Structure formats: C-alpha cells, structure tokens
Amino acid sequence: MLGNEAIARGAYEGGVQVGSGYPGTPSSEILEYLSQYKEVHSRWCPNEKVALEVAAGVAIAGGRVLVTMKHVGLNVAADPLMTISYTGVRGGLVIVVADDPGMHSSQNEQDSRNYAKFAKIPFLEPADSEEARIFTKEGFIISEKFDTPIMIRSTTRVSHSRSVVFPQERIHFTPFPYQKDAEKYVMIPAFARKRRVALEKRLEVLRGWVEESDLNRIEMRDPQFGIITGGVLYNHVREVFPQASILKIGIGYPLPYQTISDFVRKVKNVVVVEELDPFWETEIKAAGIPVEGRNRIPGIGEITPDVLKVAFGVPQPVPSIDDLNQYIFPRPPVLCAGCPHRGVFRILSELKITVTGDIGCYTLGVMPPISSIDSCICMGASISNAEGFKLTHPELTVGAVIGDSTFIHSGIGPLLDAVYNQTNIIVFILDNRITAMTGGQNHPGTGITLMGEKTSALDIEELVKALGVKEVHHFSSFDILHFRSLLKEVIKKNSGPTVFILSEPCQLIRKKGNKNFYQVDPNLCRLCKKCLQLGCPAIRLDGERVQIIAEYCRACGVCSQICQFNAIKEEYQS
Ligand code: SF4
Ligand code: SF4
C-alpha cells in the first residue's frame, strides 16, 4: 500500500467515525482513500483550521476522528491545536501532518515535530506503510488513554512510497456517551489555568510511558557505531549501514531519555540522523547525553541514502543545496497545455501589471515565457500582498491572482480587508472549478462532497458582491480579447477594489468535446512568435516554423486569439 493509503487503513481499522482535512501534497490521498470506506464520514473542509475544529468537536463529543494536512496547513490549524491540547479529548483525535523535506511541492521546508513540542502533544513517526497503518490505529488508543490529541508525522517518502501491509479487520468502536464538562472544554481563563496544570501532569505521565513503549526499539549490532533515527531515515540507515546499532524512535515526543541514555552507554559513537531541524539532537543534548548530529548531517533538504554516504564517508564537505539538487529528477514545472488561465497570465504580462500570486497551479505563472508573478507567500496572501504593494507604490497597477479553492481557503478575509480599506487593487479569481494542484479535489464551490454527494455550491460571484465589491466581472477565461479590453478600462478608471472571476474547468476535468486541435497555417504565419510567448507545451518552434503538436493540444483556442494574422485555426476530427 501507499503510505497514505495505509494511514487511511489504520484509521479505518481503528474504528474512526470521521475524517476531515484540506488537500495538500503530500497528504492529499489519505482522505481520498478513507472516503472509500463507507462506514467513515470523510470531508474536505475549506481549510485546515476548520478541519481541526470539526475534528475537535467529534473528539470532545466522544467519537474517533482523523484530521489530515500538510506541514504548512498545520500553520493554519495552529490556533485550535494549541487549545485542544489544553482541553484534551474523549474520543481519539489523530492529526496526520505530512512534511515535505526537499520541497518537492511546497513553498518552504518545515519540521512539524516542533509543533508537537510547542503544543505539548505526543507524536508518532512511522518508517513505512505497515508502521503507518499500525501507528495510526494505535494513535486513537494513545489519544484516549492520555486524554490528548496525538500527531502522526509523515514525510513525502513515507506518504508516497509503497511497502507491504498486513491489513486487519475494523474494530468495533462505539462513541463514548456525551458528557457535558464545561471546566474541561470551555477555555475561559479560570478553567484554562487548571487545564494548563493538567497538561504538564499529562506530559509527566507520557514521559514515563514512552520508556516502556515498544514503539521505540533498540537494535544492537556494532557496539562501536550507533545511530538514533526514526521515520523513513530508519530505512536509509539500514541500507547504508547494515552493521550499525540503531535506536529507532517511534514516539518522537516526549523522548525516552532513559532508553536513549542506556543506548549511548552501550554504543561508543552515536549520531542522531534526522531531517530538517536538529530536533532530537537538541533534546538529547539538553538532557546531558553526548551525541553527534548536525555537525555531520545536513539540515537542508531531503536526506537520501547518497547524502548519508557523503556525510559519513572519507572527509569531504557536507553537500550544498546545489549538490542536493542533483538527486532530484529534473521536471520543469509548467502550466498544462490548454490550461484555461494561460491566456489570462499572458494579458497580465502584456499590460505590465504587478502580480501578487498565490498557492496552487497559478504559481506557475512565474515561469518563463509568461513570467507574470511577482510574489507568492502562502495560501490567501496574494490579495493582502497586493494591498501592501499598492500602499507602498500607489503608482503601480497591482493585481492579485488566486484560485477558487485558495480563495475559499483563506482569500475571503483579505478581500474583505481590501473592500473595508478601499485599496485600489484588481483581484483575479482564476476559477477552474476544482482544487487542481493537489489532484482535483472538490471544495465548497464545486457542489460535490468528498463522499460524492451533491451539495449546495458556493456562488463565488455572489459572495464577492456580498463582501462589498462594487465592480465584479465574471466570464470565461478563454475569452481573453474581452478580458484585455475590459481590464484596460478598469486600469484607466483606477477606482477601488475590482474583481474579475474568470471561470473555465481545469483541463484535467474538462471534456474536450468534438474539438480536435489547433494548427498553424504556414501560409499565413508571419513568424512573429507571439504564440510562443504563451508557453503552451503544445506549441513549438521547429527551425523556422511554428508548429502545434496535435497530440498535446487541448483545443482551448487561446493561441488563435493571440495570433494577429489568423494563422492558427481549429481543426475537427474527421
Ligand atoms: S496549442 Fe493553442 S489551442 Fe492548443 S492547447 Fe495550446 S494554446 Fe490551447
Ligand atoms: S502568433 Fe501567429 S503569426 Fe505569430 S508566430 Fe504564432 S502562428 Fe505565426
């Protein structure tokens, strides 16, 4: 099973009633797999904060619940996390957070283990799919036993690798009867102060328990060389150093100091091998236990077996970030052929608009030849960034580009701010009717739930108007000539926030219909190369001839609108 599939299986076997989350690579598949178990109610939420709050409600009411997100999503959910740690739970609450060392599909590297310590909750770190299944299932029991939310920390290599799994039957779990307990679950200051003390007592109990748990284990081999590690790195260490003694950490916080101390006494040279932050190394050294770690292991990027070999080999420099890049298969990111928003980006570039971007496919608008994105920080930040740009440089025409799912996730508040403060920006909601970048998940705007049921679909245009935007234009993103002329007028008017909603389904969900492909008529083509500036993977310059590769063309028609010489024509299948 895929690691994410195994997490879903573990939750199912653990008797979970509800799964909630927001898609984000590398965590997205967990809920998709969980939704296939019809005994479990699974749902996408508008963002991770909402997902965790729903989960907290389930757990407080006595049910078992799984909530999933990627590392940056935990930033969004951090607010409820810090307080749910105080209240504790009745039913098991397992929070799966998938980190992305090496930033395969993320805007930053974060080590979510810090959040577990910050929130004072335990976390488990599986090394493969079978452990992902077992740890997730075990998570509900630990959560209930110690009255705490518990985190499962995965990484891309665990989430997206396959290994052998031994599935078991689903256990029958009946939710605990609901019991009102305001002192435990209503965090007014007087009650929260008492829970703060309870939280420290819980940590003490957990510290004792981790020494006994078999989720941490010592594998004694060579007494001269030992490694403390966990997660996927356990497999890499076994591969590179089959003779090394290993303390495999399964429960990453709180740490089993007694077990670690015993291990370090038995083995001469002990190195902590961990990705990203020296989280365990710092904790272990703070406990007065001598180990090595960051002096040998890089703190940037993914630790592969090759990186380990370099780190432990004959003396040579620790690889730089450039060296690490050689381990990543080159796959230049590009907007898909026929992406409904390619033409929009082209017009934004042409009209020299300063564009603040957002998370999702649209970030790819930064790539040449489109090159139209000036900034991209985090989910929903495009609109607020645009406000900041405009405040600093009122002379600029500033536009914020945001996708439909991202707008719903966290763009609504910033747009309200732009309306409230009457910041003169133009917002482009590129509505492709899906959460595209993470694989095409539904969201409140699509009218379909994760369980495949029809539901009421959010009307983005009505919502934007309700926020107080006076000028809203909503039309097809393929109609780029209309878009260009309207946008020119808006720029000239230069008044208040304006919103363009440009809608067309993502090519991954769009039906091609009877349109076949577009072709360049060599007799009409003047080789101006304007169509090449679109960056469509279907358009190529072959010597001195512009060609459209029919197999790649998705017949969106944007290039034919860009060509001023009518050289690009639609062809139909005969
Ligand atoms: S070649 Fe033209 S019509 Fe075909 S997908 Fe690219 S932009 Fe669209
Ligand atoms: S835009 Fe039209 S004329 Fe210019 S190179 Fe492309 S097909 Fe030829």
Side-chain angles (χ1 to χ4, degrees), residues 122-185:
F123 79 84
L124 309 181
E125 187 160 7
D128 55 27
S129 297
E130 175 64 348
E131 279 197 354
R133 181 188 71 81
I134 294 169
F135 285 16
T136 307
K137 193 173 174 181
E138 189 76 6
F140 296 105
I141 295 161
I142 299 167
S143 171
E144 284 160 14
K145 183 172 176 187
F146 297 102
D147 187 14
T148 176
I150 187 163
M151 193 170 108
I152 304 282
R153 189 239 190 180
S154 181
T155 55
T156 306
R157 292 293 156 194
V158 173
S159 283
H160 285 171
S161 297
R162 288 181 187 277
S163 61
V164 177
V165 163
F166 302 96
Q168 294 183 357
E169 292 299 307
R170 175 172 164 88
I171 61 164
H172 181 74
F173 173 79
T174 308
F176 296 106
Y178 177 65
Q179 279 177 4
K180 182 169 172 161
D181 188 349
E183 291 209 16
K184 186 165 184 284
Y185 296 114

Side-chain angles (χ1 to χ4, degrees), residues 466-481:
L467 292 175
V469 180
K470 295 279 181 293
E471 189 168 351
V472 184
H473 303 286
H474 188 183
F475 52 92
S476 164
S477 53
F478 288 140
D479 195 358
I480 57 167
L481 299 184

